Amino acid sequence: MSLSMSKRRAWLLAVAAGGLAVVGCGSSGSTVGVTPTSVTFGTHQPLTGPAAPGYSEIAPASIAFFKYVNAHGGVWGRKINLIVKNDEYNPTQTVNVVHQLVLQEKVFGIFEGLGTPTHTKVVGFLNSEKVPDLFVASGCPCWDNGAEHPYTFGWQPNYTIEGKILGQYIAQHFAGKKVGVLYQNDDFGNGGLAGIRDEVPSKDIVATQPYEPGTTTLAAQITAIKSAGAEVLVDFTVPIYTAIGQLTAFTLGYTPQLVVSSVGIDPTTVAALLKTISKGKASGTALIEGAITTNYLPSSTETSNPWIALFRRIHSEYDPGTPFDGNTVYGMATAYTLVQALKAAGKNLTREAIVKAVEEGGKSWSGPGLVPFRYTKTQHGGYGGAEIGRVEGGKIVLSGKPLLTEPTAGTPITPYTGSQPAPPTGGVPSE
Amino acid sequence: MRALARVGAVRAAVVVLLAALAFGAVSSLVGEYRDLQLADGAYYFAALIGLSVLIGFGGKISLGHGAFMAVGAYAVALLVADEHWPLVGALAAATAVSALVGAVLGAAASRLQGPYLAGVTLTLAVALPQIGNRFPETLGGENGLVIDPPAPPSFLGSSFPPQRYLAWIAGLGALAALFFIYNMTRSGAGRALRAVRDDEVAAALCGCHVGRTQTVAFVLSAACAGLGGGLATVVLQLAQPGAFPLELSLRIFAAAVIGGVGSLWGAFWAAALLVLLPNWSHDIAQSLSLSGNVAANLPLAIYGVMLIVAMLLWPGGIQAGLRQLSGLLKRAYSSRHSVTQSNPAK
Amino acid sequence: MTQFIDLTLSGISNGAIYAAVALALVLIWRATRIVNFAQGAMLMITTYIAAALVEAGNPYWLALVVAVAAGLVFGALTELVLIRRVESAPPINAVIVTLGLLVFLEALAGMIWSDTPRAFPAAFSIQGYEVGHTRILFSPNSTFIVCVVALVALALGALFRYTSLGLKLRAAAFAPEVARLLGVRVGRMFTIGWALAAGVGALAGALVAPSTFVGPSNFDPILIFAFTAAVLGGLESPLGAIVGGVLIGLVLSYVSGYEGEALAPLAALAMLLLTLMLRPTGIFAASRERRV
């Protein structure tokens, strides 16, 4: 720490000695966290504790992608560094580590800070300090407020967008069937439930059961949904609770049509948890086979997708020994978007420049996403839709028909006609 | 008797004034992040000082003081954000509300022995913050409540760092707790507490009301924790279930014991540990460039080992250990001194 | 009605697990007057060992036996290496040491096995029994869990009541000085108490793991409610641990089912407080102890 400080100071002295010309043209040297050869971001992630499973893989995947980009010359000659701090998903710690990153480590910006209850507590600070707060790893609608929080940008689709798309599918394909919803009692679950309510007739929704993250059993929730006679079970759950819920349903002999948000269905994770039930009488994927879900990125199991092939190659080179699953794809895809943003911000990197780059160009960036971003000056939400998929043979098979919508109630769901481009040669974004 | 009390109050005032000067000087010298750490330390100190009295003087174990911090935190958040109370009023109310919750529990607690009280307080630490999830309309659910950061008053100048202002607010709160507790421990109430802790029967024979004395200790410690929680809300601008997990209750309990219970300095060491140790252990883990899982868990491992080693090395806590150390040094010094005198040629 | 039955059944099978871990806490309390907060982490480690054996292709029963054996050794070692050094210190120091052990073991598990939870097999089918036209929330594996816990409780009861080892264990716990004078090797009794407790804990871990999965902090909630159960039943009493465990299991299940999960721990707290107001040392308190 003190080493890097003294280095930076030495470098600043060198600039001062080098003459006023550099300062005069608004050099990147005046921007915190940026040198001619590097740019440093910070992030807060749950590396340990109850929220760590799965999520702790995201930042290492992003770092792997940055290492890959750095090995190929970086962006505008700068290598990307990411300082990861563990906040244990405890907002007190989030506030602490983000202050540390901004005030002491002097990072250029915060990247993919994870979680709604955590990140909502630093948005005010980051915006008052004018620190770019890029691509928050949460689908809370709260990031989508360019007027109030000009420096904060979401990335993944808003939870309500996903809920609406799932809800429309239910209304169209399981019309008139009774629907039960199991949801995590936070903004993720509540946002998803709001989306379902927007599309599914309220008379069809027979049970809505929240659970608190951290619980060890879902017996109360699943029995309530079963006894309400739900024929369709919608899960807004994280993978471990998708698994616990399906185990409980299995015990009860309850086999509704399963519909799961993209958060809770990563087949690699869920199948690994379900693989040993009843000594192989039911295989891991059997309990989620046929489940309907959405995705806004290609599935990690889709080996033929060129983006997945690229990410797998980078993963095996720079983050070996860890599983390759949906979280890995997530971490690499967000890193890809950050590289796009840095490219677009230009050689004279400033905090204002990168914000402007996302606001002005973000909507047209293509990448691993199946749908475009929604970024404008006022709209700071991420992907504007998702694609319905289905678990078949332990893999998610996408329908090939991406859908777009707005998070607000009553807005229509429209098909997206563009297609996903192949990754650029070399895998480093060129725009 | 009254004169004695007045002398005590003057002494307390002097102690608090010195502490205030030291705090103000340090906060003006350090940078913004260190100011925030000072603020963290101050709210921890307010909570710890009460807990330290409860354990050290009351002889009671509480594993649930994080819950009282949550009560104080929510009280401040609700009063400031919804009712637009001034900070001082909100903090006073937070202290009072936590004292009230403490009184309800303390009445029951006074009858309970060590592990039974530990069980009750542990369950309290799990149960209470979850109420926020049940009433999302008023308490904000999992996301909790957010307040605006208090802006430094204009007479401090426009360039006054907001983090330093937070440190000063938290510092003043901690000093108020210090003044109160310092007075209390040196008054009749403090003596009664110690008498009850050491021998309930003897204390009762001497006219101490055992149950009432222990309830008072519990209420006091709950009030301090509530003040600490309220200050935490001011510093962090949040009140939410995830900020007050069981782990927090256990962490402040462990810190209080390791700092040294029943001593004001002990609470100081404990607060310093709570603020500094996570960063130190994280820096150590970072500097070793280990693989992902090991690096992520190393700070926790260091913390765990430290708890064990501290208890084996200093059974009475850091404060007792330091006292022992200074005793040793004094003896070593005086013996060397005598050696030097007897042997001037050296 | 079916929901009530299912909630009851689920409360009983969860309660059996709380009871087993509570039993472990009671054993250690009786042996050394220490509440072992590391119990949950110790059983987490032994369950990881069992999971590793199963993943390596070994039969379930072998893994179960090895887990329990590992628990016995682990418990004895913990007492010999760590607890012995704080047995004479104030009781609060032992609490901190077990908390430190809890934190350290969870970090260690995260380092070795990562924070991602893994699956663990059940001994018998987890498909519920068919009653009428529906399946109930109670499977052959639930029957196995309840029976094993009941058997362990009975066996421990018999050990304490009818064997000379049990007598020595009780003597060492209640009056160590007198016991020492009578030739009981008190230190060894303490070690045996810890070993037995950790063995019971290891068994409980393997029993609950199929439904909670194995992860560094996955057993924390179980330890919390097991502790509540042990205190509710009375820390002196193995029978109290069983009754307390089932009561806590039922209360949590009913309140989660009818009132929402967020208030379930509050209900457990209310039950605990009310009970302790009437009986300050738990339902099955040994009232003799106060008079001695």
Side-chain angles (χ1 to χ4, degrees):
Chain A
M1 172 50 222
S2 59
L3 188 74
S4 73
M5 279 286 269
S6 60
K7 256 190 207 159
R8 191 168 303 131
R9 220 165 269 151
W11 188 82
L12 282 171
L13 281 176
V15 170
L20 292 168
V22 192
V23 180
C25 65
S27 92
S28 54
S30 60
T31 300
V32 177
V34 179
T35 74
T37 55
S38 75
V39 52
T40 304
F41 285 87
T43 188
H44 61 89
Q45 302 286 329
L47 300 181
T48 57
Y55 293 154
S56 61
E57 296 164 16
I58 292 177
S62 298
I63 289 175
F65 190 81
F66 293 144
K67 279 185 183 160
Y68 176 78
V69 172
N70 292 347
H72 289 76
V75 183
W76 298 111
R78 293 189 184 95
K79 300 211 182 319
I80 308 167
N81 302 321
L82 180 62
I83 304 176
V84 185
K85 296 269 182 193
N86 183 7
D87 68 358
E88 300 165 21
Y89 212 68
N90 176 339
T92 313
Q93 292 301 323
T94 314
V95 171
N96 182 15
V97 298
V98 167
H99 277 80
Q100 195 182 13
L101 286 166
V102 171
L103 300 174
Q104 211 179 31
E105 311 259 1
K106 308 276 184 202
V107 295
F108 171 71
I110 298 293
F111 167 68
E112 79 181 355
L114 192 142
T116 312
T118 48
H119 198 77
T120 41
K121 307 308 177 291
V122 290
V123 165
F125 167 71
L126 291 173
N127 280 276
S128 71
E129 297 278 325
K130 298 188 166 49
V131 177
D133 177 20
L134 300 176
F135 315 138
V136 184
S138 138
C140 179
C142 38
W143 323 127
D144 190 3
N145 190 347
E148 208 176 311
H149 304 309
Y151 287 83
T152 297
F153 291 86
W155 186 78
Q156 67 194 65
N158 182 308
Y159 296 129
T160 307
I161 289 183
E162 220 195 323
K164 280 176 70 175
I165 288 173
L166 286 174
Q168 188 197 43
Y169 187 92
I170 294 168
Q172 287 174 352
H173 294 80
F174 311 123
K177 290 202 170 171
K178 291 179 182 170
V179 176
V181 184
L182 172 70
Y183 65 102
Q184 185 154 304
N185 193 11
D186 58 13
D187 71 298
F188 156 52
N190 286 296
L193 179 62
I196 293 287
R197 285 196 198 280
D198 201 31
E199 293 290 329
V200 179
S202 56
K203 67 169 173 50
D204 291 347
I205 303 176
V206 293
T208 55
Q209 285 285 321
Y211 71 88
E212 305 299 333
T215 184
T216 53
T217 161
L218 292 175
Q221 290 85 346
I222 299 293
T223 50
I225 292 171
K226 183 194 176 195
S227 55
E231 298 150 281
V232 176
L233 169 62
V234 188
D235 276 2
F236 289 99
T237 47
V238 293
I240 188 164
Y241 291 110
T242 311
I244 292 181
Q246 284 312 98
L247 280 183
T248 313
F250 177 77
T251 303
L252 286 165
Y254 174 48
T255 51
Q257 168 64 46
L258 189 62
V259 176
V260 190
S261 100
S262 64
V263 174
I265 195 71
D266 181 56
T268 322
T269 316
V270 179
L273 289 174
L274 293 176
K275 69 179 176 192
T276 51
I277 23 159
S278 285
K279 297 175 173 170
K281 270 177 215 144
S283 83
T285 51
L287 290 185
I288 51 169
E289 187 69 16
I292 300 299
T293 182
T294 66
N295 217 336
Y296 49 95
L297 296 172
S299 165
S300 62
T301 52
E302 217 178 316
T303 37
S304 60
N305 183 295
W307 289 95
I308 296 301
L310 170 71
F311 289 164
R312 271 190 188 276
R313 191 153 53 82
I314 297 173
H315 174 258
S316 61
E317 189 174 347
Y318 293 99
D319 192 15
T322 59
F324 185 87
D325 57 25
N327 291 305
T328 322
V329 175
Y330 185 104
M332 296 224 183
T334 34
Y336 188 90
T337 312
L338 185 70
V339 173
Q340 284 180 309
L342 285 169
K343 278 252 153 111
K347 188 155 178 57
N348 285 335
L349 182 59
T350 62
R351 285 173 163 173
E352 287 68 30
I354 199 163
V355 166
K356 206 167 153 222
V358 182
E359 283 178 343
E360 289 178 355
K363 208 167 181 167
S364 62
W365 294 340
S366 61
L370 303 171
V371 289
F373 291 112
R374 295 168 60 239
Y375 301 129
T376 63
K377 181 125 187 76
T378 49
Q379 279 190 163
H380 282 197
Y383 287 118
E387 193 172 318
I388 291 286
R390 193 182 151 84
V391 179
E392 284 172 21
K395 293 179 173 181
I396 295 176
V397 179
L398 293 171
S399 64
K401 296 187 202 99
L403 300 165
L404 293 176
T405 188
E406 290 294 313
T408 37
T411 45
I413 298 175
T414 52
Y416 169 63
T417 45
S419 61
Q420 190 191 33
T425 345
V428 180
S430 51
E431 351 183 4
Chain B
M1 202 56 187
R2 191 170 291 169
L4 205 68
R6 210 176 307 134
V7 171
V10 168
R11 235 182 98 170
V14 170
V15 166
V16 168
L17 203 67
L18 287 176
L21 284 175
F23 187 90
V26 172
S27 81
S28 306
L29 288 174
V30 296
E32 290 158 319
Y33 177 65
R34 296 284 176 210
D35 264 326
L36 198 77
Q37 286 188 307
L38 275 178
D40 286 343
Y43 77 68
Y44 278 132
F45 180 80
L48 283 163
I49 197 170
L51 188 58
S52 181
V53 165
L54 178 71
I55 304 170
F57 291 69
K60 295 275 180 187
I61 293 182
S62 168
L63 303 177
H65 265 49
F68 295 117
M69 288 181 76
V71 171
Y74 273 95
V76 166
L78 285 172
L79 290 173
V80 169
D82 295 357
E83 311 293 327
H84 307 289
W85 280 36
L87 274 186
V88 178
L91 286 168
T95 314
V97 173
S98 336
L100 204 69
V101 179
V104 174
L105 235 101
S110 67
R111 295 189 61 203
L112 300 182
Q113 299 299 313
Y116 293 91
L117 181 59
V120 169
T121 47
L122 183 88
T123 319
L124 176 81
V126 177
L128 212 58
Q130 288 235 358
I131 296 177
N133 289 332
R134 183 66 174 77
F135 303 103
E137 290 80 18
T138 36
L139 300 178
E142 180 76 12
N143 280 341
L145 306 167
V146 183
I147 64 167
D148 290 328
S154 50
F155 66 81
L156 288 171
S158 58
S159 61
F160 193 83
Q163 285 82 7
R164 188 172 303 160
Y165 184 56
L166 294 178
W168 284 16
I169 297 176
L172 280 176
L175 291 170
L178 174 66
F179 178 76
F180 190 67
I181 295 289
Y182 189 93
N183 257 328
M184 196 279 298
T185 52
R186 278 156 181 78
S187 70
R191 279 192 297 278
L193 267 178
R194 266 168 289 189
V196 168
R197 172 198 59 188
D198 293 339
D199 192 335
E200 289 191 12
V201 178
L205 284 175
C206 297
C208 266
H209 195 298
V210 174
R212 198 183 301 148
T213 309
Q214 292 188 332
T215 308
V216 165
F218 201 86
V219 172
L220 269 182
S221 70
C224 285
L227 175 63
L231 292 172
T233 292
V234 178
V235 173
L236 306 165
Q237 290 114 46
L238 62 86
Q240 72 186 96
F244 303 97
L246 172 63
E247 183 267 333
L248 170 72
S249 291
L250 298 179
R251 187 149 43 95
I252 57 177
F253 168 73
V257 176
I258 288 186
V261 289
S263 133
L264 301 179
W265 276 108
F268 175 80
W269 300 126
L273 269 183
L274 283 177
V275 173
L276 296 176
L277 188 73
N279 287 1
W280 286 345
S281 54
H282 187 272
D283 287 349
I284 293 173
Q286 287 275 295
S287 66
L288 294 177
S289 65
L290 298 156
S291 81
N293 287 330
V294 178
N297 284 287
L298 191 61
L300 267 186
I302 293 174
Y303 168 51
V305 170
M306 197 217 71
L307 289 185
I308 297 171
V309 171
M311 277 297 99
L312 298 183
L313 286 183
W314 307 302
I318 293 178
Q319 182 55 22
L322 285 177
R323 223 173 270 152
Q324 227 175 346
L325 197 70
S326 74
L328 277 178
L329 284 177
K330 258 183 218 156
R331 234 174 298 147
Y333 176 78
S334 57
S335 63
R336 204 181 58 178
H337 202 62
S338 57
V339 169
T340 331
Q341 270 184 341
S342 66
N343 203 349
K346 264 188 179 172
Chain C
M1 190 57 201
T2 48
Q3 199 193 349
F4 176 78
I5 292 168
D6 281 334
L7 289 176
T8 309
L9 293 171
S10 137
I12 289 173
S13 47
N14 288 329
I17 298 296
Y18 299 141
V21 180
L23 206 53
L25 292 172
V26 164
L27 282 173
I28 288 182
W29 174 256
R30 284 172 63 118
T32 48
R33 305 278 122 180
I34 286 168
V35 176
N36 180 18
F37 284 98
Q39 192 75 62
M42 288 166 71
L43 68 88
M44 176 267 295
I45 296 282
T46 55
T47 312
Y48 260 117
I49 293 173
L53 282 173
V54 170
E55 274 167 33
N58 294 290
Y60 173 86
W61 298 104
L62 175 72
L64 187 71
V65 170
V66 172
V68 173
L72 291 169
V73 175
F74 196 4
L77 279 178
T78 307
E79 198 277 335
L80 284 171
V81 175
L82 276 184
I83 303 302
R84 185 140 299 187
R85 293 168 207 280
V86 285
E87 260 156 16
S88 53
I92 219 165
N93 292 31
V95 173
I96 304 289
V97 168
T98 61
L99 278 177
L101 188 61
L102 160 80
V103 173
F104 175 73
L105 291 177
E106 289 193 358
L108 189 71
M111 288 180 185
I112 302 175
W113 294 294
S114 93
D115 281 282
T116 307
R118 51 185 70 196
F120 191 78
F124 296 95
S125 168
I126 62 157
Q127 198 157 35
Y129 294 110
E130 203 161 353
V131 176
H133 295 293
T134 185
R135 287 189 188 279
I136 54 170
L137 198 52
F138 205 80
S139 62
N141 198 55
S142 319
T143 311
F144 173 66
I145 292 176
V146 171
C147 289
V148 168
V149 174
L151 275 177
V152 168
L154 285 175
L156 285 173
L159 173 80
F160 279 117
R161 188 147 304 191
Y162 301 118
T163 67
S164 70
L165 176 65
L167 188 66
K168 283 185 205 160
L169 280 168
R170 279 193 293 164
F174 285 118
E177 296 310 318
V178 181
R180 197 167 279 134
L181 287 176
L182 292 174
V184 176
R185 299 178 68 173
V186 172
R188 178 167 295 176
M189 292 305 121
F190 289 175
T191 313
I192 292 175
W194 271 77
L196 278 178
V200 173
L203 191 61
L207 291 178
V208 75
S211 54
T212 59
F213 309 123
V214 194
S217 55
N218 282 28
F219 301 105
D220 288 358
I222 299 195
L223 177 77
I224 291 163
F225 292 119
F227 184 37
T228 311
V231 171
L232 182 71
L235 274 166
E236 303 292 342
S237 160
L239 179 64
I242 300 294
V243 173
V246 175
L247 276 177
I248 290 285
L250 285 172
V251 163
L252 292 178
S253 184
Y254 289 141
V255 177
S256 300
Y258 294 119
E259 199 38 58
E261 203 174 17
L263 292 189
L266 202 65
L269 174 67
M271 181 167 73
L272 182 63
L273 261 182
L274 285 177
T275 310
L276 294 183
M277 297 278 257
L278 299 173
R279 298 183 68 84
T281 46
I283 301 173
F284 292 88
S287 49
R288 281 167 294 130
E289 201 219 348
R290 292 285 296 162
R291 261 184 267 132
V292 170

